[in-house]
Amino acid sequence: AKPDSAHRGYLLGGLAWFAIPFSLATTVGLCVVALQLPISASEASAGLVPPAVATHLFGKAGSVLMTIMLFSAITSTGSAEGLAVSSLVVYDIYKTYINPDATDRQILMLSKFVIVAFGSSMGALAVGLKQSV
């Protein structure tokens, strides 16, 4: 892909994606006011408004759906971060400076290694930070 095309794609993708959290936050915020749910300011600040609305409207199924949505968002974010780091290391460092004649197989193997190494290091960092608290 050409850098100019990627630049436009990222901008358009970002603008298109903005509608999802904006509409979800607006809808859920209006629902909590319309339903007059007893949510304190500290609960709202902690991000507990969406689960409260989902649970009120759909019962236990709403809680399950909210958990699935949260899991999917976190998994997607982690996947995107891993692929971004892998792409940066392989194409911007390895292929540019270390081995310009790298084969597709070498690139694929290094990409897999970088994803595993990055994921492991982030997992170790998370555990280390959790232990320090």
Side-chain angles (χ1 to χ4, degrees):
K2 297 176 184 175
D4 191 43
S5 298
H7 177 71
R8 284 192 206 124
Y10 278 115
L11 286 176
L12 289 174
L15 289 173
W17 170 248
F18 180 72
I20 294 171
F22 182 73
S23 61
L24 179 68
T26 303
T27 303
V28 170
L30 290 173
C31 278
V32 80
V33 172
L35 295 171
Q36 297 180 353
L37 296 179
I39 296 178
S40 67
S42 62
E43 291 172 334
S45 296
L48 297 176
V49 172
V53 170
T55 303
H56 181 78
L57 292 177
F58 302 111
K60 188 173 183 174
S63 300
V64 170
L65 289 172
M66 190 58 65
T67 303
I68 291 170
M69 185 175 77
L70 183 62
F71 175 78
S72 298
I74 292 169
T75 304
S76 172
T77 302
S79 173
E81 289 295 324
L83 290 174
V85 169
S86 173
S87 178
L88 286 171
V89 169
V90 170
Y91 289 103
D92 293 346
I93 297 171
Y94 181 73
K95 190 157 170 71
T96 302
Y97 299 110
I98 298 171
N99 187 4
D101 299 322
T103 65
D104 288 342
R105 183 177 175 147
Q106 290 172 321
I107 289 173
L108 181 61
M109 291 302 294
L110 184 62
S111 293
K112 290 177 181 179
F113 174 78
V114 169
I115 288 173
V116 170
F118 177 71
S120 299
S121 64
M122 290 298 103
L125 180 66
V127 169
L129 291 175
K130 177 68 176 162
Q131 296 296 328
S132 68
V133 174

